Amino acid sequence: AQSVTQPDIHITVSEGASLELRCNYSYGATPYLFWYVQSPGQGLQLLLKYFSGDTLVQGIKGFEAEFKRSQSSFNLRKPSVHWSDAAEYFCAVGAGSGGSNYKLTFGKGTLLTVNP
Amino acid sequence: GAVVSQHPSWVICKSGTSVKIECRSLDFQATTMFWYRQFPKQSLMLMATSNEGSKATYEQGVEKDKFLINHASLTLSTLTVTSAHPEDSSFYICSAKGQGRQPQHFGDGTRLSIL
């Protein structure tokens, strides 16, 4: 069975600083990988996804992530954090054949606090 | 694009009543929809997966008679919490996915409070 580990429960950064959120996955085949962001009381918004191809993936809001198969990692990065980026971030791995029924397994999330 | 609407966003009801939550894909056809439950400050727990026109597949430990799922069309799935009790209070989130290698897109969630 697949699993996702987000080692950092809570990260605090200053506005304008760079950000890296860590994600490690366990899956026997080529994974489909995702980063989602959740604001309090809201649903999840897709930041970016990796299915295949270029291992450096660009997403919305200036985020990017790099798939490193050798390290089983899919870390999320942003060069300069804005106060509006404060939220909970979830990494997820999708298992299955890529057809309609693949399921997502989520990490436990990383709460990002941004100091002014 | 890829907007998922979930309704209602908040519901409070008495113990013993049934509550229906709707999940609609507004601008794409959702061949598969998923229902999750999220406890405070925790991650999402998948409850069930549904394909249009088929019976839902429930995860282990989820009572299918308690949580009725209907996926009647390519744009609508409903979750009915039957005879709800306080322990069913939670944040329920749906997601929808199109055919093939597509990501899941999530609704804004429904906060259910059973008194």
Side-chain angles (χ1 to χ4, degrees):
Chain A
Q2 65 273 17
S3 66
V4 176
T5 301
Q6 293 181 246
D8 304 305
I9 296 173
H10 188 189
I11 283 183
T12 299
V13 300
S14 297
E15 190 169 18
S18 63
L19 172 70
E20 183 169 30
L21 302 182
R22 296 183 291 165
C23 172
N24 292 97
Y25 68 90
S26 174
Y27 184 56
T30 300
Y32 300 135
L33 296 162
F34 309 85
W35 274 99
Y36 287 89
V37 60
Q38 184 181 33
S39 296
Q42 301 292 315
L44 276 67
Q45 181 182 24
L46 178 68
L47 287 177
L48 45 77
K49 61 187 182 292
Y50 171 79
F51 286 122
S52 65
D54 193 346
T55 56
L56 184 62
V57 180
Q58 301 296 321
I60 62 171
K61 303 184 179 184
F63 286 93
E64 67 177 25
E66 186 170 12
F67 170 54
K68 293 185 177 180
R69 184 187 300 273
S70 62
Q71 298 177 19
S72 298
S73 69
F74 189 57
N75 295 346
L76 181 71
R77 300 193 294 250
K78 186 169 184 177
S80 178
V81 170
H82 189 262
W83 64 266
S84 61
D85 293 325
E88 185 94 31
Y89 290 79
F90 292 97
C91 179
V93 61
S97 63
S100 296
N101 276 1
Y102 75 81
K103 300 178 184 179
L104 289 182
T105 298
F106 285 89
K108 293 188 175 182
T110 297
L111 179 64
L112 174 66
T113 298
V114 180
N115 288 333
Chain B
V3 177
V4 176
S5 173
Q6 189 172 340
H7 179 80
S9 57
W10 197 308
V11 59
I12 302 173
C13 61
K14 294 181 179 179
S15 182
T17 59
S18 293
V19 178
K20 180 182 285 188
I21 302 170
E22 289 188 351
C23 181
R24 294 180 183 272
S25 58
L26 299 185
D27 52 2
F28 67 102
Q29 292 187 329
T31 51
T32 308
M33 287 186 168
F34 304 83
W35 288 94
Y36 296 85
R37 186 170 179 175
Q38 186 178 32
F39 293 99
K41 299 189 183 302
Q42 293 191 26
S43 189
L44 282 74
M45 180 189 76
L46 179 65
M47 299 174 65
T49 303
S50 72
N51 290 307
E52 183 262 338
S54 302
K55 288 185 178 180
T57 302
Y58 291 81
E59 295 300 300
Q60 191 172 9
V62 177
E63 300 176 62
K64 61 182 180 181
D65 295 331
K66 158 72 77 177
F67 300 100
L68 300 179
I69 293 171
N70 183 276
H71 191 163
S73 74
L74 284 171
T75 59
L76 174 64
S77 176
T78 59
L79 167 68
T80 301
V81 183
T82 62
S83 187
H85 292 285
E87 58 267 27
D88 299 322
S89 298
S90 192
F91 192 57
Y92 293 87
I93 309 176
C94 73
S95 72
K97 178 187 172 300
Q99 181 72 39
R101 292 201 312 183
Q102 298 293 329
Q104 291 183 28
H105 296 281
F106 287 79
D108 280 339
T110 297
R111 183 156 306 282
L112 175 62
S113 296
I114 309 298
L115 304 178

